[in-house]
Amino acid sequence: MKEAQYKRVYNALNAQIAKKEFLEGDLLPSENLLTTQFGVARSVVRQALLELEKEGKIVKQQGKGSIVVPERKSLALLSVKGFSQVVGAERKINTIMLQNPIKRKWDGVFFFPLSEKELAADCFYLKRLRLVDNQTVMLENTYLPDLYLEDFLTQKFVDGSLFQLLKSQYNIEIKGVEQELRAINAEVDLATNLAIEPNQAVLHVQRKYITNKKDFFIYSSLFCNTHNYSFSNIIKT
Amino acid sequence: MKEAQYKRVYNALNAQIAKKEFLEGDLLPSENLLTTQFGVARSVVRQALLELEKEGKIVKQQGKGSIVVPERKSLALLSVKGFSQVVGAERKINTIMLQNPIKRKWDGVFFFPLSEKELAADCFYLKRLRLVDNQTVMLENTYLPDLYLEDFLTQKFVDGSLFQLLKSQYNIEIKGVEQELRAINAEVDLATNLAIEPNQAVLHVQRKYITNKKDFFIYSSLFCNTHNYSFSNIIKT
DNA sequence: CAGTGGTCTAGACCACTAA
DNA sequence: TAGTGGTCTAGACCACTGT
């Protein structure tokens, strides 16, 4: 099971952009050139560029080329990447574990419908507070069904990243996310955690992550303080 | 400039799903079958299915097929589709024009950086209130640079849809959107418009639409009442 | 005009699912 | 094991951009 070629091309280009080897406004090498550089078919190059475009790192323009776009200033949080990856290297991030992972029953009324298989299993629950440059930006409640996760409670998080742990220990990859957004007024408890005044507006995001394991989903309920950082995303047709 | 084949395939499948010719959980015909049905190469079929997948209408599963997923109950508003298209046919929608289109100067501090070309032109501004099943869900301020839009102020909206007007009259198509989200507490004016109490939490979305015309962008500032309807989206890696 | 990305063809092999 | 979607090749022509 070796890595796909287009991922190899994607990773190479992504790294070059991150290392500022291409600056904002620069054109990437043309598709034909990349084809010869990496020794792959053009469709493979295009698949790699498509990924970069979906993530908003380049824009393509017919007749011109693939243009590197400026790094985003706001948090690209409405994406499938884990928190550790969406916050640029420029910023200091911290995670405070308010509730270490425990095994428990599902809540009576869950925010997404659960399958029978999921309901039959217990769930792992963790509660984390996320900080960017020492400012509290997010409270995250995560629920994972106890289906493929042997010895989950004894695992050490890889760089504090749940997604990296799932990838390295269980070969579980995130393939997509379905999410619902609401603006809510913060209750006292929530306001305390987010270090804001009660009744302040908070962005509530309920997520269902799709993984490479069929029938295995991860659920998250996020409460975001958008006063200091806005949350952005990019969508292509 | 005839329509691309993959769009033809997409439109056909999309219509069949909308007409319930495929029910939730049904498998679409396999890619090889669609290839022969439409008389196109497999890559064309895959491109069409990719669109459907991005819109969350199907999920693909290796070894099994393309599965039709249930219609969304919440408003898929964080997508590039116009308001008229994201709200399912099941619901009644209304638009109240609070401010008919006028030509004016740009605001001094705009929420996205503007190019010199845009700043040199004036902008068209309109303010619309959006209702779903007679409930106020959104206040929308839209700004269009006066660059390609001849006689814009005298145009009649096609079914109340700005995007359809742009397509049919000016051949302008929306290719993507970049957006920032915040939760804010409603001021009195805003609360009145959205028919909620002052200080209630509201979802504020600032958008920059990318079009097929280079250097032509459309800007929108949305205020969403998420009490009755949540706003959803789906993202694929 | 040459070069770019957009679309398309007609194959091939692989990884996964279900019977 | 048969059939599915995932990846890949090696071409081709078209639409658009800038010179």
Side-chain angles (χ1 to χ4, degrees):
Chain A
M1 192 187 82
K2 68 185 213 296
E3 195 183 43
Q5 297 269 46
Y6 78 89
K7 287 188 183 171
R8 180 171 65 89
V9 177
Y10 164 84
N11 286 330
L13 293 174
N14 193 32
Q16 282 186 283
I17 293 172
K19 277 188 283 187
K20 308 281 184 192
E21 294 181 25
F22 301 115
L23 300 179
E24 303 176 9
D26 280 3
L27 290 177
L28 290 186
S30 76
E31 295 183 353
N32 282 321
L33 189 51
L34 291 172
T35 289
T36 60
Q37 278 183 11
F38 288 95
V40 295
R42 191 170 157 222
S43 67
V44 175
V45 169
R46 284 182 62 77
Q47 203 170 347
L49 294 177
L50 195 64
E51 293 294 314
L52 290 170
E53 191 185 23
K54 278 198 295 188
E55 295 174 10
K57 292 173 181 167
I58 63 170
V59 295
K60 299 170 93 177
Q61 201 174 306
Q62 192 174 21
K64 195 168 181 186
S66 298
I67 307 157
V68 178
V69 304
E71 209 180 336
R72 314 191 53 68
K73 52 280 149 235
S74 48
L75 305 179
L77 207 77
L78 302 175
S79 71
V80 304
K81 302 281 181 174
F83 185 80
S84 318
Q85 288 163 64
V86 298
V87 183
E90 312 292 316
R91 299 196 179 92
K92 184 157 67 84
I93 70 169
N94 295 96
T95 299
I96 298 172
M97 191 71 78
L98 293 181
Q99 167 67 65
N100 277 310
I102 54 167
K103 189 168 167 176
R104 43 164 281 197
K105 301 282 177 200
W106 295 96
D107 287 332
V109 179
F110 203 64
F111 51 90
F112 276 101
L114 295 170
S115 70
E116 291 181 16
K117 198 172 167 190
E118 288 173 319
L119 282 170
D122 283 343
C123 82
F124 295 114
Y125 169 73
L126 52 161
K127 184 173 185 175
R128 292 173 291 177
L129 205 55
R130 308 290 207 162
L131 289 80
V132 173
D133 290 339
N134 294 322
Q135 305 207 11
T136 313
V137 297
M138 193 164 86
L139 174 68
E140 178 167 14
N141 297 284
T142 309
Y143 306 79
L144 307 97
D146 179 16
L147 289 173
Y148 299 93
L149 308 176
E150 302 238 337
D151 304 318
F152 181 72
L153 296 181
T154 64
Q155 299 288 342
K156 260 295 175 205
F157 276 21
V158 181
D159 292 333
S161 163
L162 175 61
F163 288 177
Q164 281 179 42
L165 170 67
L166 292 173
K167 175 84 169 69
S168 61
Q169 290 300 307
Y170 304 101
N171 200 32
I172 291 173
E173 278 181 282
I174 307 299
K175 305 297 282 184
V177 69
E178 180 182 338
Q179 58 190 6
E180 307 222 346
L181 293 89
R182 289 180 182 82
I184 63 165
N185 296 87
E187 306 280 342
V188 174
D189 280 1
L190 178 58
T192 306
N193 275 322
L194 289 179
I196 57 176
E197 296 298 312
N199 213 39
Q200 288 271 74
V202 167
L203 179 61
H204 185 200
V205 184
Q206 293 172 320
R207 288 189 169 170
K208 177 180 184 175
Y209 289 103
I210 294 122
T211 70
N212 56 337
K213 292 248 191 291
K214 187 170 56 88
D215 304 333
F216 184 78
F217 304 98
I218 299 168
Y219 303 91
S220 266
S221 177
L222 316 176
F223 298 92
C224 308
N225 172 0
T226 59
H227 291 88
N228 301 310
Y229 296 97
S230 71
F231 292 66
S232 67
N233 73 338
I234 292 179
I235 303 165
K236 300 285 173 180
T237 56
Chain B
M1 191 186 86
K2 68 185 216 294
E3 195 183 44
Q5 296 269 44
Y6 78 88
K7 286 187 183 170
R8 182 171 65 88
V9 177
Y10 164 83
N11 286 331
L13 293 174
N14 193 33
Q16 282 187 284
I17 293 172
K19 277 188 283 186
K20 309 280 184 191
E21 294 181 25
F22 300 115
L23 300 179
E24 302 175 10
D26 279 4
L27 290 177
L28 291 186
S30 77
E31 295 183 354
N32 282 321
L33 190 50
L34 291 171
T35 288
T36 61
Q37 278 183 10
F38 287 94
V40 295
R42 190 170 155 221
S43 68
V44 175
V45 168
R46 284 181 63 78
Q47 204 170 347
L49 293 178
L50 196 63
E51 293 293 315
L52 290 170
E53 191 185 23
K54 278 198 294 190
E55 295 174 9
K57 291 172 182 167
I58 62 169
V59 294
K60 300 170 92 177
Q61 202 173 302
Q62 193 174 20
K64 194 169 179 185
S66 298
I67 308 158
V68 178
V69 304
E71 208 179 338
R72 314 190 54 67
K73 50 282 148 231
S74 46
L75 305 178
L77 208 76
L78 303 173
S79 71
V80 304
K81 301 281 182 173
F83 184 80
S84 317
Q85 288 163 63
V86 297
V87 183
E90 312 292 316
R91 300 198 177 90
K92 184 158 67 84
I93 70 167
N94 294 95
T95 298
I96 299 172
M97 193 70 79
L98 294 181
Q99 167 68 65
N100 278 309
I102 54 166
K103 187 168 168 175
R104 41 165 280 195
K105 301 281 177 202
W106 294 99
D107 287 333
V109 179
F110 203 63
F111 51 90
F112 276 100
L114 296 170
S115 71
E116 291 181 15
K117 198 172 166 190
E118 287 173 320
L119 281 170
D122 283 344
C123 82
F124 296 114
Y125 169 74
L126 52 160
K127 185 173 183 176
R128 292 173 291 177
L129 204 55
R130 309 290 209 162
L131 290 81
V132 173
D133 290 339
N134 294 321
Q135 306 208 15
T136 313
V137 298
M138 194 163 86
L139 175 68
E140 179 167 14
N141 297 284
T142 308
Y143 306 80
L144 306 97
D146 179 15
L147 289 174
Y148 300 92
L149 308 176
E150 302 239 336
D151 303 319
F152 181 71
L153 296 181
T154 64
Q155 298 289 342
K156 259 297 175 203
F157 277 19
V158 181
D159 293 332
S161 164
L162 174 62
F163 288 177
Q164 281 178 44
L165 170 66
L166 292 172
K167 176 83 168 68
S168 61
Q169 291 300 307
Y170 305 100
N171 198 32
I172 291 175
E173 278 181 281
I174 306 299
K175 305 298 281 183
V177 70
E178 180 183 338
Q179 57 191 6
E180 305 221 347
L181 292 91
R182 290 181 184 78
I184 62 164
N185 295 88
E187 307 280 339
V188 175
D189 280 2
L190 177 60
T192 306
N193 275 323
L194 290 178
I196 57 176
E197 297 297 313
N199 213 37
Q200 287 271 75
V202 167
L203 179 62
H204 184 201
V205 184
Q206 294 172 320
R207 286 189 172 170
K208 176 181 185 176
Y209 289 103
I210 294 121
T211 71
N212 57 335
K213 291 248 193 289
K214 188 170 56 89
D215 303 333
F216 184 79
F217 304 98
I218 299 167
Y219 303 91
S220 266
S221 176
L222 316 176
F223 298 92
C224 309
N225 172 359
T226 59
H227 291 88
N228 301 310
Y229 295 96
S230 72
F231 292 64
S232 67
N233 73 338
I234 293 179
I235 302 165
K236 299 287 175 181
T237 57

